[in-house]
Amino acid sequence: SYVLTQPPSVSVAPGKTATITCGGNNIGDISVHWYLQKPGQAPVLVIYYDSDRPSGIPERFSGSNSGNTATLTISRVEAGDEGDYYCQVWDRSSDQGVFGGGTKLTVL
Amino acid sequence: VQLVESGGGLVQPGGSLRLSCAASGFIFSDYWIYWVRQAPGKGLVWVSRFNSDGSDTNYADSVTGRFTISRDDAKNTLYLQMDSLRAEDTAVYYCGRGRVATFVDYWGQGTLVTVSS
């Protein structure tokens, strides 16, 4: 089955830029979606189709996808951006959803 | 928009449980509905998907043959029948909706299932 690899943790100072990667075999050929889950809460969609933002998600959140790596970028990071970020794809070969292991974003 | 899960609880290994996901605030029959679970302290894991017209379902390998997803559009409710439960099925189960087939655009708050003797 398809495997998505994320770094376990990323730390960034307030106001700086956070970059969270999601690795997968030829992931650039499929759509990647990103979710933020804050402690004790349900996940929230923050990026879909690689780089589109749902309404209500700040422009500071952006995404890209090419080759074997998809990237979520959060500019001008705020304390409220802390949480676990998950990438997700739909694996057409197995017709199943696949999540990455999650990346804990810490704002220093 | 609201998705409210219910039916979680403590069940013994080998037992059964049926989860419900009650939807409101949107046209239920226009959306794909998903179940995703999260074991304590672990990441998200996709469990099952039901398409919008009720003609197709998909399951993760780990639950195939044990879990059955169904929907009642008249009641705006999705169900997950879980049989032959195992300790490793212990998790918070989230339902979610998707306008398309490949991602969740809104999630419920989840219901905890604990499989233990």
Side-chain angles (χ1 to χ4, degrees):
Chain A
S1 61
Y2 196 78
V3 175
L4 296 175
T5 301
Q6 297 182 239
S9 63
V10 167
S11 299
V12 63
K16 300 299 185 182
T17 297
T19 300
I20 299 173
T21 59
C22 176
N25 187 38
N26 294 319
I27 195 173
D29 294 338
I30 54 179
S31 294
V32 179
H33 320 291
W34 291 91
Y35 306 90
L36 164 60
Q37 185 179 35
K38 296 182 179 182
Q41 298 185 19
V44 172
L45 180 69
V46 294
I47 291 289
Y48 63 99
Y49 290 149
D50 298 339
S51 59
D52 290 341
R53 276 179 293 103
S55 61
I57 300 301
E59 292 183 5
R60 302 183 296 104
F61 288 78
S62 63
S64 63
N65 185 16
S66 178
N68 293 316
T69 305
T71 302
L72 174 69
T73 302
I74 310 168
S75 58
R76 302 182 302 281
V77 166
E78 303 173 356
D81 298 333
E82 279 197 335
D84 295 321
Y85 288 83
Y86 295 90
C87 58
Q88 179 253 315
V89 302
W90 193 264
D91 179 15
R92 289 197 179 94
S93 64
S94 64
D95 212 9
Q96 298 182 16
V98 179
F99 287 93
T103 297
K104 182 177 183 61
L105 177 67
T106 299
V107 180
L108 301 172
Chain B
V1 174
Q2 269 201 321
L3 292 167
V4 180
E5 301 92 336
S6 61
L10 176 63
V11 61
Q12 292 188 339
S16 298
L17 213 55
R18 189 177 82 155
L19 305 184
S20 300
C21 172
S24 61
F26 64 98
I27 301 174
F28 187 69
S29 58
D30 284 351
Y31 286 80
W32 294 69
I33 304 294
Y34 301 82
W35 286 101
V36 175
R37 68 185 182 184
Q38 186 172 35
K42 302 297 184 181
L44 301 173
V45 176
W46 177 81
V47 174
S48 183
R49 177 184 75 169
F50 205 132
N51 72 341
S52 55
D53 67 9
S55 64
D56 192 24
T57 58
N58 303 93
Y59 298 92
D61 291 342
S62 58
V63 306
T64 295
R66 301 187 299 121
F67 290 12
T68 304
I69 191 173
S70 61
R71 60 191 291 166
D72 185 337
D73 287 356
K75 295 182 178 180
N76 285 355
T77 300
L78 178 80
Y79 303 98
L80 184 68
Q81 177 67 40
M82 303 186 297
D83 299 320
S84 302
L85 283 162
R86 306 165 181 167
E88 54 264 35
D89 295 318
T90 294
V92 173
Y93 284 73
Y94 295 99
C95 70
R97 72 165 200 186
R99 198 64 176 90
V100 296
T102 58
F103 67 92
V104 179
D105 61 25
Y106 189 84
W107 300 68
Q109 287 304 306
T111 187
L112 176 62
V113 172
T114 303
V115 184
S116 174
S117 55

